[in-house]
Amino acid sequence: LATLDRKEQALGSQPDFVASVIDETPFALISVGDLSRRAAVPEPELRTILAGLEEAGAIVPARGHQWFPGEGLARARRRVLDALDACYRQDPYRVSIPKLEVRDQAHLEGDYFEALLVKLDEEGVIENQRGGKVVLPGRQLELDPADRGAYDRMAEVFREHLFAPPRLEDFAEQEGVAFAHLERLSALLIDQGRWIRLAPDVLLDAEALEEAVRRLRAHFETEGPFSASQAKDILGTTRKFAIPLLEHLDAQKITKRVGDTRVMV
């Protein structure tokens, strides 16, 4: 009823009527063609009206000759921040949150949500990361002393054994820490980009990738293509770690498989 009342009051002014039509869908991108049909206003006239609404701040430019409804954008921005806050409260050890999780929490859809994340990133409200994740800029974690000790020890051990780190189960038993607790800390290390998961049971320090590329490239430049077995020996590791590592480098187009051997790209 309120929407119909606003539209009735706007009948005497074409710009006001167009604005009332826009307000019907606050969480949808505005395009000239779609709005022209909905408001029954020819496109040339509508473009002039939209220019005025943009100047007044009633609509905000988005990507690809589209606009955000101004009031809806403010509400959507709050929804995203509230969604991130809820995710962080559920697990304080998280750094980045998958976009799909934020979208579901914020109850926003498709193209509008994607354009919104781009807009918020440009404003510095959030930061879009590779892998479809979102973070709050400058977010800092405060680990309690016990967690900090386990966290630092895990990071240290994985750096010391770049290509053959221990299993988390073995590390938990050795350090006398609950395995489930170490899983949370390992998820944090992955989230921060310090570790990388190559397979369900294969975790490596991120520095292992750089060192692997350095060693394999040095071998390739002097000896030529190398097999998986040779790569295993070059890295001083086992097939458990060598195979998923090589497959990861293949996927990143750093190496390329040619028959039973690989070359550096």
Side-chain angles (χ1 to χ4, degrees), residues 35-234:
L35 186 58
S36 175
R37 289 189 293 273
R38 290 169 54 205
V41 176
E43 288 191 18
E45 295 178 35
L46 182 60
R47 292 182 186 279
T48 301
I49 293 170
L50 289 174
L53 292 175
E54 181 180 335
E55 185 175 351
I59 60 176
V60 178
R63 60 187 181 181
H65 304 292
Q66 296 177 307
W67 294 264
F68 295 101
E71 182 181 343
L73 177 60
R75 291 164 58 191
R77 182 186 291 109
R78 185 71 260 164
R79 284 195 187 188
V80 168
L81 291 176
D82 287 345
L84 286 170
D85 181 64
C87 292
Y88 286 134
R89 281 188 282 107
Q90 289 170 3
D91 185 353
Y93 284 179
R94 300 176 79 177
V95 176
S96 60
I97 311 295
K99 289 196 301 185
L100 293 180
E101 189 173 344
V102 177
R103 186 193 68 184
D104 292 344
Q105 288 265 13
H107 303 291
L108 298 169
E109 298 296 334
D111 290 343
Y112 178 87
F113 178 72
E114 293 295 334
L116 174 63
L117 291 188
V118 172
K119 179 68 174 176
L120 297 184
D121 185 276
E122 292 171 349
E123 294 178 352
V125 175
I126 63 166
E127 184 179 311
N128 290 315
Q129 291 190 329
R130 295 176 62 184
K133 294 188 175 184
V134 177
V135 301
L136 283 178
R139 173 173 165 76
Q140 299 293 324
L141 291 176
E142 294 295 336
L143 299 177
D144 63 46
D147 286 347
R148 171 56 67 182
Y151 172 93
D152 290 342
R153 179 65 180 147
M154 290 169 68
E156 178 186 7
V157 168
F158 270 63
R159 278 196 306 271
E160 291 174 351
H161 302 85
L162 282 181
F163 301 111
R167 297 190 314 151
L168 284 184
E169 295 90 337
D170 297 336
F171 184 83
E173 183 177 350
Q174 176 185 332
E175 297 292 322
V177 180
F179 172 67
H181 199 56
L182 288 190
E183 281 192 309
R184 291 185 64 200
L185 292 176
S186 69
L188 172 58
L189 285 158
I190 294 170
D191 211 12
Q192 292 174 320
R194 298 186 63 180
W195 284 8
I196 185 168
R197 186 183 296 279
L198 299 179
D201 61 340
V202 176
L203 288 167
L204 291 178
D205 188 285
E207 290 184 11
L209 296 181
E210 297 179 15
E211 179 63 15
V213 172
R214 189 190 68 78
R215 294 189 192 183
L216 294 173
R217 189 177 301 282
H219 175 90
F220 179 72
E221 290 174 352
T222 58
E223 304 294 333
F226 49 86
S227 65
S229 178
Q230 287 175 308
K232 173 177 69 69
D233 295 337
I234 294 166

Side-chain angles (χ1 to χ4, degrees), residues 242-261:
I243 297 302
L245 176 55
L246 289 172
E247 290 174 347
H248 176 80
L249 295 179
D250 291 345
Q252 297 297 312
K253 301 189 184 304
I254 296 171
T255 57
K256 179 180 179 181
R257 187 166 182 174
V258 181
D260 292 332
T261 63

